Structure formats: C-alpha cells, structure tokens
Amino acid sequence: MSALYFHLAQHGFRCWYDNQEDQITKQAMEAGVESSRIFLLFLSEGVLTRPFTLFEIQTALGLSKPIMLMHETDDRHGAFDFAEADDAPPAIANLMLTHESLPWRRRRFEQDAILAELIGSSGLAPPKAAAAAAGARTTTSAPAQPG
C-alpha cells in the first residue's frame, strides 16, 4: 500500500493514507474520507475484518463517495481472496460485485499501466499533467486523498 501511495504522490496526487498521518483517530479517518474526491479501497488479506477499515468504507458509502477497488495479487504481500467478501457486511460485500478491482503488481511497467488505468478511470486529471497542459509548474509536498 505504501508503494501505491508514493506512486500516486509522484504523479502529483495528494493522498490521505492513515499510515502516513500524525493522527489516526476515527475523527481523522472520517475527515480524511470526507475530504477525498475518491475513496480507493486497497484490498489485501484480512482487510475486510479490520474494524477501522470497515469504518472508513462505511463512511465513504454514507457520504456517497466514488469508490474504486484495487487488490493485492502477491501472496508474499497478503494477496486478497475475494471469498473474504462473503463474511463482510452486505453493503461492503456488494462492492465486490458491483465494482471492478484493479490488480496491484510489483513490476514497474505493470504498476505504470495500472496507475494509468486507475487515474483514467477516476476521471481525475493527474495534477502534473494538468499543470503541464496549462504551462504551469506544480510541486507535491503533502499527501491527501485518492480515497
């Protein structure tokens, strides 16, 4: 997940990622989800059993945030088994049926392709590309939200 966070930051996106935040409280999580334009749920082994992850997902659903899914594919890094959704709350299990999940891979050329698909599917222009098109320069200093 950290690699994805840093790749998105390199593309100019500000991402709110709890492992990079100073405060990891329910209020901070709720504020992070609320300030996001998109909620990106990274699926890995056991993620749908974690109370705070479930809280973040339910917050995103309650706020009608666009939700995108990405899943870990490498067993060495906790590959996600979609059968885990069978034990999740119904609204969350339904996400697995109604949303495509992009696979996260470790090889750079695959990551580049998946990031391009993620960014394209999100409907958000990468900040660096938008700035280049406008002839402006941007800097990325702090994380914020893919979702």
Side-chain angles (χ1 to χ4, degrees), residues 16 23-33 51-52 55-56 59:
W16 188 92
Q23 291 190 10
I24 308 175
T25 63
K26 283 182 95 171
Q27 293 80 15
M29 290 177 200
E30 188 172 23
V33 172
F52 290 118
F55 172 76
E56 290 174 329
T59 299

Side-chain angles (χ1 to χ4, degrees), residues 54-133:
L54 295 175
F55 172 76
E56 290 174 329
I57 299 167
Q58 290 167 332
T59 299
L61 288 169
L63 294 169
S64 300
K65 292 290 180 177
I67 296 176
M68 299 184 75
L69 306 177
M70 183 173 283
H71 63 277
E72 178 60 64
T73 60
D74 191 327
D75 289 332
R76 298 170 300 172
H77 297 279
F80 182 71
D81 180 354
F82 283 88
E84 289 184 34
D86 295 343
D87 297 324
I92 295 171
N94 190 52
L95 288 174
M96 305 306 131
L97 300 173
T98 59
H99 290 66
E100 178 182 9
S101 181
L102 298 173
W104 180 246
R105 307 222 194 269
R106 295 287 180 279
R107 297 185 72 186
R108 184 59 189 229
F109 75 93
E110 291 177 306
Q111 289 178 349
D112 290 343
I114 291 298
L115 286 171
E117 179 62 25
L118 175 70
I119 292 166
S121 296
S122 74
L124 300 176
K128 287 184 179 181

Side-chain angles (χ1 to χ4, degrees), residues 40-60:
L40 175 61
L41 174 57
F42 190 85
L43 301 164
S44 60
E45 184 178 22
V47 72
L48 298 179
T49 64
R50 298 179 190 136
F52 290 118
T53 302
L54 295 175
F55 172 76
E56 290 174 329
I57 299 167
Q58 290 167 332
T59 299

